[in-house]
Amino acid sequence: MNFASDNVAGASGPVLEALVNANEGPSPAYGADPLTAEVERRLGDIFEREVSVFLVTTGTAANALAISAAVPPWGLCLCHEESHAIDDECGAPEFFTHGAKLIGLPGTGGKLEASRVESYLAGLSEAPKQMPPRALSISQVTEAGRVYSLEEIAALSEVGRRHRLAVHMDGARFANALVALGTTPAEMTWKRGIDILSFGATKNGCLMAEAIIVFDGALAETLAYRRKRAGQTVSKGRLLAAQFLGYLAKDHWFDNARHANAMAARLAEGLGRIPGVRFAWPCEANEVFPIIPRAVDGALRAAGFVYHPWISRSLSPGEQIGPDEALIRLVASFATREEDVDRFLSIASGSPQSAAKKPSTA
């Protein structure tokens, strides 16, 4: 039973069905097919405006290429110090910007605060000896499972505008954030000042499908070339587009995200009733970050549950992890089952009945 990531789940049924249907017969290559055109039109409808869309296969490609469109080799991109872009992309943004620098700023729960970003920017010199800031990147959902409110996004974007920065959103868990806020894609992005978005779908039901969605036309000018040079212009592009068609049809992407968020909430509610368990950050989307006794951690791992220990750099001031405690991350997906959640909670609460039988890992 695996709560390590929403990446461990396979693709959903509607996505696979759309992929199989698109496989029949010949079709123009390299994104010149009608399915890709339909995805671009559909995303324009979803975001309530004309957008430029560049389909890619990975979140790393989406983030790195999006940032490279906004930041020259001599520029800076500001992000949270624990963001995926700076911590988990193996230097891909720096590689595709040909030497630009990512600056990580601190913030509780993986969130950047507008005042902290403003303070950092105000302290920079305009002399050529120092790299100039050119972009601000925020993660929605953050690496600590927090969701930026619409007001927080608008405040950060306003700082970006004042300092002439492009504002990028890493939306690897975009749908989970939308469901959590009960808002629309337009309201959470360009209407709040976002210029370019990494629109994630792989974590929420696709096989391998991400999109760079550009709201500022100037940032789209070079992306077709950047994508090609990055090896991300897929020859059988219809099979990439087909995943999005299955994903977006009949609000399937929202249904998947609602289920994942509900399973995470079920985990959090149950863990909150167990003595000795508290939370590093609130559960706001599909991730839970409990601080648990090491004895509970041992029992869960012995029972076959899989999850990751987590870093504690963005804990609230004064919060600490004790020597007999462990901070862990639990991630729910569209495929998470209620019975898996309930068994996890049963083991964690020390139920003799649940501990008597080790769960299957099949």
Side-chain angles (χ1 to χ4, degrees):
M1 299 187 192
N2 199 313
F3 291 99
S5 175
D6 33 14
N7 284 322
V8 304
S12 68
V15 169
L16 290 175
E17 183 179 358
L19 191 59
V20 170
N21 291 340
N23 193 54
E24 292 296 322
S27 185
Y30 297 106
D33 59 276
L35 295 187
T36 297
E38 173 61 18
V39 168
E40 293 170 351
R41 184 200 65 76
R42 179 81 175 102
L43 287 170
D45 290 345
I46 286 171
F47 283 93
E48 304 174 33
R49 58 169 286 171
E50 184 177 344
V51 293
S52 297
V53 177
F54 301 87
L55 304 185
V56 295
T57 61
T58 71
T60 296
N63 282 338
L65 293 175
I67 291 170
S68 77
V71 186
W74 56 88
L76 298 178
C77 176
L78 309 186
C79 52
H80 191 275
E81 63 182 356
E82 295 177 18
S83 68
H84 215 76
I86 201 171
D87 246 11
D88 299 278
E89 309 288 26
C90 197
E94 294 92 335
F95 178 80
F96 284 107
T97 56
H98 302 288
K101 190 174 182 179
L102 270 62
I103 297 294
L105 301 179
T108 300
K111 280 188 175 183
L112 291 175
E113 296 178 9
S115 59
R116 190 185 294 273
V117 174
E118 177 69 57
S119 177
Y120 178 83
L121 290 168
L124 292 178
S125 166
E126 295 185 4
K129 67 179 182 178
Q130 194 164 59
M131 299 171 81
R134 288 292 181 265
L136 171 65
S137 178
I138 64 173
S139 300
Q140 180 76 319
V141 179
T142 78
E143 293 299 298
R146 301 297 309 279
V147 176
Y148 283 101
S149 69
L150 299 184
E151 294 75 19
E152 288 171 324
I153 296 169
L156 286 162
S157 295
E158 177 58 31
V159 173
R161 276 193 295 274
R162 284 201 301 271
H163 292 270
R164 302 191 303 277
L165 308 183
V167 184
H168 165 251
M169 177 180 284
D170 174 0
R173 295 184 173 95
F174 188 82
N176 302 99
L178 281 179
V179 168
L181 292 177
T183 189
T184 68
E187 291 291 347
M188 201 171 77
T189 54
W190 64 271
K191 288 187 177 182
R192 295 297 182 277
I194 299 299
D195 298 304
I196 188 167
L197 165 70
S198 297
F199 180 76
T202 304
K203 293 180 186 295
N204 194 41
C206 281
L207 182 69
M208 53 178 74
E210 312 281 316
I212 303 168
I213 300 178
V214 189
F215 308 109
D216 179 350
L219 295 177
E221 292 177 1
T222 65
L223 267 170
Y225 303 101
R226 293 179 186 276
R227 181 177 62 172
K228 177 63 176 177
R229 292 180 75 231
Q232 286 290 324
T233 303
V234 179
S235 59
K236 297 182 182 181
R238 60 172 164 160
L239 300 182
L240 192 54
Q243 295 176 64
F244 275 105
L245 291 179
Y247 182 65
L248 298 172
K250 300 179 181 179
D251 286 339
H252 176 58
W253 62 307
F254 283 122
D255 292 340
N256 283 358
R258 288 189 190 100
H259 178 80
N261 286 13
M263 292 299 97
R266 190 181 184 96
L267 271 169
E269 182 182 1
L271 285 167
R273 295 195 295 265
I274 298 175
V277 174
R278 65 189 192 281
F279 297 95
W281 308 286
C283 173
E284 295 179 339
N286 68 317
E287 298 172 281
V288 187
F289 293 84
I291 301 169
I292 62 177
R294 289 205 175 272
V296 173
D297 181 40
L300 289 166
R301 294 191 183 279
F305 287 98
V306 180
Y307 49 84
H308 289 303
W310 210 246
I311 52 178
S312 58
R313 290 204 307 267
S314 64
L315 288 175
S316 299
E319 180 67 88
Q320 293 183 342
I321 311 300
D324 295 324
E325 295 179 315
L327 168 58
I328 64 172
R329 184 186 76 163
L330 306 171
V331 189
S333 78
F334 73 93
T336 299
R337 303 180 304 174
E338 284 189 6
E339 53 263 41
D340 293 339
V341 171
D342 292 345
R343 183 160 181 77
F344 182 97
L345 295 173
S346 182
I347 296 291
S349 64
S351 165
Q353 182 179 0
S354 66
K357 182 179 179 182
K358 186 174 180 179
S360 170
T361 57

